[in-house]
């Protein structure tokens, strides 16, 4: 995982599915929510967010290198597929003010807490 964290060998959707299933299997369905620390600064490459390391089979696929709008839509898709996502931390690089502005505006009505740990602490 990024920043020294443990992460199983899976992509973002598989990871959310694993956590969702674990919550159900443990008997906490409806009692637990999902929080994601994306750490987007770790995969910002040449002005694009390169999520191809999450999807090794798509390593050369240009659609895996996303701008602000594409990455925001990716997060929206995760929230739609996994409604228990309640928090998304560091969805953009700490210096990507346009990304943060777009994300907080776009997600305002989606019942998701956007946390700017790197944004507020690193800056």
């Amino acid at each position: 995982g990024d920043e020294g964290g443990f992460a199983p060998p899976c992509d973002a959707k598989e990871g959310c599915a694993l956590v969702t299933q674990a919550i159900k299997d443990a008997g906490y369905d409806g009692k637990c929510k999902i929080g994601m620390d994306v750490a987007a600064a770790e995969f910002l490459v040449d002005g694009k967010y390169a999520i191809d390391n999450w999807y090794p089979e798509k390593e050369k696929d240009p659609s895996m290198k996303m701008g602000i709008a594409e990455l925001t839509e990716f997060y929206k898709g995760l929230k739609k597929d996994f409604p228990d996502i309640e928090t998304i931390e560091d969805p953009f690089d700490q210096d990507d003010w346009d990304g943060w502005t777009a994300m907080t505006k776009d997600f305002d009505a989606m019942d998701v807490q956007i946390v700017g740990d790197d944004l507020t602490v690193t800056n």
Side-chain angles (χ1 to χ4, degrees):
D2 287 333
E3 297 180 334
F6 170 77
C10 62
D11 63 42
K13 289 183 181 182
E14 290 171 336
C16 288
L18 284 170
V19 171
T20 299
Q21 189 61 50
I23 290 169
K24 287 178 184 173
D25 290 350
Y28 290 105
D29 196 22
K31 298 176 186 174
C32 288
K33 299 292 182 182
I34 299 172
M36 301 169 52
D37 184 352
V38 179
E42 299 295 318
F43 55 92
L44 179 64
V45 179
D46 297 327
K48 294 281 187 182
Y49 293 95
I51 67 166
D52 53 348
N53 60 330
W54 298 349
Y55 301 90
E57 72 281 0
K58 296 183 178 182
E59 184 177 352
K60 303 285 185 208
D61 185 343
S63 72
M64 295 289 104
K65 308 231 183 332
M66 301 180 179
I68 293 166
E70 295 88 4
L71 190 57
T72 300
E73 287 302 313
F74 179 81
Y75 294 137
K76 280 181 169 179
L78 285 177
K79 173 62 178 169
K80 181 181 174 202
D81 293 343
F82 303 96
D84 284 339
I85 294 175
E86 191 168 273
T87 299
I88 301 176
E89 181 177 336
D90 295 328
F92 290 95
D93 181 74
Q94 65 264 13
D95 294 320
D96 188 349
W97 294 98
D98 292 335
W100 283 96
T101 301
M103 181 82 171
T104 54
K105 180 181 175 187
D106 238 12
F107 272 70
D108 189 38
M110 291 192 71
D111 196 29
V112 176
Q113 173 181 263
I114 307 299
V115 177
D117 173 41
D118 289 348
L119 177 72
T120 57
V121 176
T122 305
N123 286 322

